[in-house]
């Protein structure tokens, strides 16, 4: 699978959030590379761990902005974040139990890439629009 590249279609119009999304894309690509180059279970788990850490950081930052700006879809958006975090943690368990099987390796790259693009272009873009309407431009 080709690596995911940042382009303006992925911008939510809020610099701080875009910057963090670029970092998530980098981390997703690092996982994809570890999988594609068959770098082994330890490396995949390490890159997945970096992704989980940054995801926690980004979701917390994004949710703080939502709370500060009375974002009306906070609960719905938070639920999507929580589900994604749970899925990442499940993937760690699956890799630890089964090893870097081709099926798991394929699944992780496809899932992460699709989830990120859909989330950013969907509810994050909607969030960006609402924040801009409220005058937030960081
Ligand atoms: Fe940028 Fe809702 O995660």
């Amino acid at each position: 699978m080709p690596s995911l590249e940042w382009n303006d279609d992925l911008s939510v119009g809020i610099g701080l959030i875009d910057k963090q999304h670029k970092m998530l894309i980098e981390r997703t690509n690092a996982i994809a590379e570890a999988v594609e180059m068959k770098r082994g279970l330890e490396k995949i788990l390490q890159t997945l761990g970096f992704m989980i850490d940054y995801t926690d950081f980004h979701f917390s930052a994004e949710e703080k902005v939502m709370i500060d700006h009375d974002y009306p879809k906070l609960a719905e958006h938070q639920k999507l974040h929580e589900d994604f975090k749970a899925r990442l943690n499940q993937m760690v368990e699956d890799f630890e139990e089964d090893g870097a099987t081709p099926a798991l390796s394929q699944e992780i790259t496809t899932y992460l890439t699709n989830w990120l693009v859909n989330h950013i272009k969907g509810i994050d873009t909607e969030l960006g629009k609402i924040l801009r309407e409220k005058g937030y431009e960081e």
Side-chain angles (χ1 to χ4, degrees):
M1 177 175 247
S3 62
L4 180 56
E5 287 194 21
W6 173 265
N7 62 65
D8 287 343
D9 283 353
L10 291 170
S11 173
V12 302
I14 303 287
L16 177 76
I17 295 177
D18 283 348
K19 200 169 113 191
Q20 294 179 1
H21 285 164
K22 286 176 188 168
M23 191 62 83
L24 284 177
I25 287 171
E26 271 183 31
R27 293 189 178 209
T28 298
N29 287 337
I31 296 170
E33 189 191 317
V35 164
E36 258 171 48
M37 305 300 285
K38 299 195 184 338
R39 294 248 158 86
L41 181 60
E42 199 177 318
K43 184 68 181 174
I44 292 173
L45 287 174
Q46 184 193 53
T47 54
L48 196 44
F50 289 151
M51 178 73 178
I52 288 171
D53 288 347
Y54 199 79
T55 299
D56 281 345
F57 168 76
H58 168 61
F59 288 171
S60 296
E62 209 174 77
E63 287 166 19
K64 182 175 183 315
V65 173
M66 291 184 215
I67 292 165
D68 289 348
H69 292 81
D70 293 324
Y71 173 58
K73 288 190 173 178
L74 174 65
E76 180 189 335
H77 201 141
Q78 261 177 331
K79 170 87 170 62
L80 294 172
H81 288 172
E82 288 307 313
D83 289 349
F84 183 64
K85 281 171 20 180
R87 184 74 189 269
L88 287 177
N89 286 318
Q90 182 62 53
M91 282 181 178
V92 170
E93 282 180 32
D94 291 345
F95 271 105
E96 283 173 345
E97 271 175 31
D98 301 341
T101 64
L104 268 181
S105 300
Q106 176 63 40
E107 185 197 342
I108 191 172
T109 307
T110 307
Y111 174 76
L112 290 180
T113 303
N114 288 342
W115 191 93
L116 259 187
V117 170
N118 289 333
H119 187 83
I120 291 172
K121 285 190 171 181
I123 203 160
D124 277 356
T125 295
E126 199 182 321
L127 168 65
K129 183 170 174 283
I130 290 172
L131 290 174
R132 286 197 309 281
E133 284 168 2
K134 287 174 178 277
Y136 181 84
E137 287 177 351
E138 193 171 333

